Amino acid sequence: MIDRIVINNFKSIEKVDLELGRLNVLIGANGSGKSNVLEAIGMVAAKNGNTIELDSMAQRGVRIAMPELMVNSFYGKVASRAIRLRFENEDGYVRYTITKKDEDSIYTPWKADAYAYLGRNVSLEDFESQYSRYLIYSPSIDALRGLSSASKLFPIGLHGEGLDVLMYQMTKAEISQVERIANRYITWLDDLVYDTEGEMKYRGYKLGRSNSNLYFNDRYMQKKNKFFSAENANEGALILLFYLVLMTSKATPVFFAIDNIDSGLNPRLCRALIKEMTALAEENGKQVIITTHNPAVLDGLRLGDPNTRLFAVDRSDSGDTRVNEIRVKPQSERRMRLSEMWMNGMIGGVPNEF
């Protein structure tokens, strides 16, 4: 697990120092730089050898911009040409210096020079394996319903492409864990069905032309009409399954990010999901950084647990992104929920202009 990441000179980030747990939550106003934190990590993860190609960055979920916009350009400050990141844990650290390969091209690849200070029995390859598969996930309802397949990543795309195939390939123990939690929150769910032979499609259960072979049984419907395909499932059920699969399957990355985890979810489900993800991260050896705009997410956190971290993100008067960790609730506010404290501007991470 990565214990600390230091980011210098990436987009709106002049310097950010993050001490991470297994479940890490970033809150902040729109445009404060939360996604930039996720993308800086994605840029390093996209490297092949010492080269970072634009298409590899895009496949990780990094928004591509012209080179001058990938580094700081704050008014009144001399812009540095290099992006720097440092990853640390008990085995040591690796420091990256990232620069343009072609000064004259807006499509230039980037060069990543690594300096490693690691334990005697730890190779650079072993250390980098902790984040080399890092991705920034952001579910799309069309992708989860099998109506689009833009991503070519395996076993599952950034937006949920291939969810049905991955679920079918999961071990009995993994899928049992997913179904146990899903049944707790999808009240109408009786069973999940995989139509490997295409029979359900030919019987007319997939008129919308979805390419997903995942089907649901509704416990409230008559037996002859209880099947329906992923294209007809409600978005909350599909998004919940997506997150549970990410946190459970050994085929998904051990370290990844989820941007705007609350999208499409009821506030109470958000709170419950965070509690479940905290337990799943520890049980399955996952590490995740998430961003959210829903205060209910905070009420699912075990603040004070070293495996759970909450960070408030804002921008200084000069425009650079700052990240402040909220370790414990103030003694005077222990009776107030974290969601209320956030909404009232007591822990930061809210707009100050209105």
Side-chain angles (χ1 to χ4, degrees):
M1 187 176 86
I2 300 301
D3 296 329
R4 183 185 181 204
I5 296 176
V6 183
I7 305 168
N8 292 91
N9 194 39
F10 180 79
K11 294 187 175 181
S12 67
I13 299 170
E14 192 165 28
K15 181 177 181 180
V16 159
D17 191 334
L18 296 172
E19 292 188 12
L20 300 176
R22 287 207 172 274
L23 184 75
N24 307 275
V25 178
L26 304 182
I27 59 172
N30 298 93
S32 58
K34 301 184 299 299
S35 296
N36 290 346
V37 173
L38 309 186
E39 292 177 358
I41 303 168
M43 190 175 190
V44 168
K47 77 182 189 71
N48 183 10
N50 72 340
T51 300
I52 305 172
E53 299 285 354
L54 295 188
D55 58 351
S56 182
M57 289 169 58
Q59 289 174 10
R60 301 278 173 168
V62 179
R63 296 167 297 179
I64 305 302
M66 61 188 296
E68 285 74 16
L69 297 180
M70 297 293 284
V71 297
N72 293 169
S73 56
F74 296 118
Y75 182 78
K77 295 184 179 181
V78 178
S80 173
R81 294 187 175 189
I83 300 166
R84 293 182 173 85
L85 282 92
R86 176 177 169 130
F87 294 74
E88 296 183 15
N89 67 12
E90 60 184 8
D91 293 322
Y93 68 84
V94 177
R95 185 176 65 233
Y96 299 94
T97 301
I98 303 171
T99 54
K100 294 183 290 184
K101 277 200 166 186
D102 185 346
E103 288 289 337
D104 299 322
S105 173
I106 62 171
Y107 305 112
T108 179
W110 295 78
K111 181 177 69 170
D113 294 318
Y115 172 81
Y117 182 82
L118 302 171
R120 182 176 300 175
N121 298 319
V122 182
S123 68
L124 176 60
E125 182 180 2
D126 288 340
F127 191 91
E128 290 183 328
S129 69
Q130 299 172 93
Y131 48 87
S132 60
R133 294 183 62 216
Y134 171 94
L135 298 167
I136 305 169
Y137 291 103
S138 180
S140 157
I141 297 305
D142 278 352
L144 290 168
R145 286 177 172 156
L147 299 173
S148 69
S149 56
S151 176
K152 303 301 181 185
L153 293 174
F154 295 95
I156 194 167
L158 295 179
H159 310 301
E161 301 90 338
L163 175 65
D164 60 325
V165 178
L166 177 55
M167 290 181 69
Y168 185 73
Q169 296 296 325
M170 290 169 70
T171 66
K172 288 184 178 180
E174 290 172 344
I175 202 65
S176 176
Q177 190 174 47
V178 168
E179 290 180 345
R180 174 177 53 82
I181 299 173
N183 279 314
R184 191 178 301 160
Y185 302 110
I186 308 174
T187 56
W188 50 263
L189 180 61
D190 185 36
D191 195 14
L192 295 171
V193 178
Y194 306 91
D195 181 27
T196 58
E197 302 298 325
E199 177 186 353
M200 302 299 292
K201 174 182 177 180
Y202 296 122
R203 288 169 58 187
Y205 284 95
K206 223 162 41 171
L207 295 180
R209 305 300 191 266
S210 166
N211 59 26
S212 172
N213 289 317
L214 177 63
Y215 287 79
F216 298 82
N217 274 341
D218 189 328
R219 68 173 71 248
Y220 299 114
M221 303 299 290
Q222 296 178 14
K223 186 175 181 178
K224 62 179 181 179
N225 288 324
K226 66 188 305 183
F227 288 102
F228 60 93
S229 66
E231 65 187 318
N232 290 309
N234 68 288
E235 61 180 350
L238 291 168
I239 291 172
L240 177 64
L241 285 175
F242 177 55
Y243 292 149
L244 294 180
V245 167
L246 288 179
M247 298 300 297
T248 304
S249 173
K250 291 182 176 63
T252 59
V254 294
F255 182 32
F256 58 90
I258 299 172
D259 208 5
N260 295 319
I261 194 170
D262 48 88
S263 177
L265 297 180
N266 176 277
R268 281 200 173 189
L269 183 53
C270 284
R271 182 179 63 188
L273 173 64
I274 292 301
K275 292 180 180 180
E276 298 289 356
M277 289 180 67
T278 301
L280 289 172
E282 296 181 34
E283 185 174 348
N284 299 319
K286 301 290 187 179
Q287 185 174 24
V288 58
I289 305 177
I290 69 176
T291 70
T292 184
H293 290 284
N294 193 325
V297 167
L298 274 61
D299 293 334
L301 295 175
R302 299 189 313 211
L303 208 59
D305 181 343
N307 281 319
T308 303
R309 303 295 177 99
L310 173 62
F311 302 93
V313 183
D314 65 6
R315 297 184 76 164
S316 71
D317 292 339
S318 60
D320 62 298
T321 291
R322 303 177 299 187
V323 179
N324 177 47
E325 183 178 356
I326 312 301
R327 293 184 178 270
V328 294
K329 294 170 66 173
Q331 185 69 36
S332 60
E333 308 295 345
R334 291 293 170 88
R335 295 183 179 180
M336 186 178 291
R337 290 183 175 182
L338 273 171
S339 57
E340 296 176 276
M341 295 176 67
W342 183 20
M343 288 293 292
N344 286 298
M346 301 170 68
I347 58 174
V350 292
N352 295 318
E353 295 80 15
F354 52 88

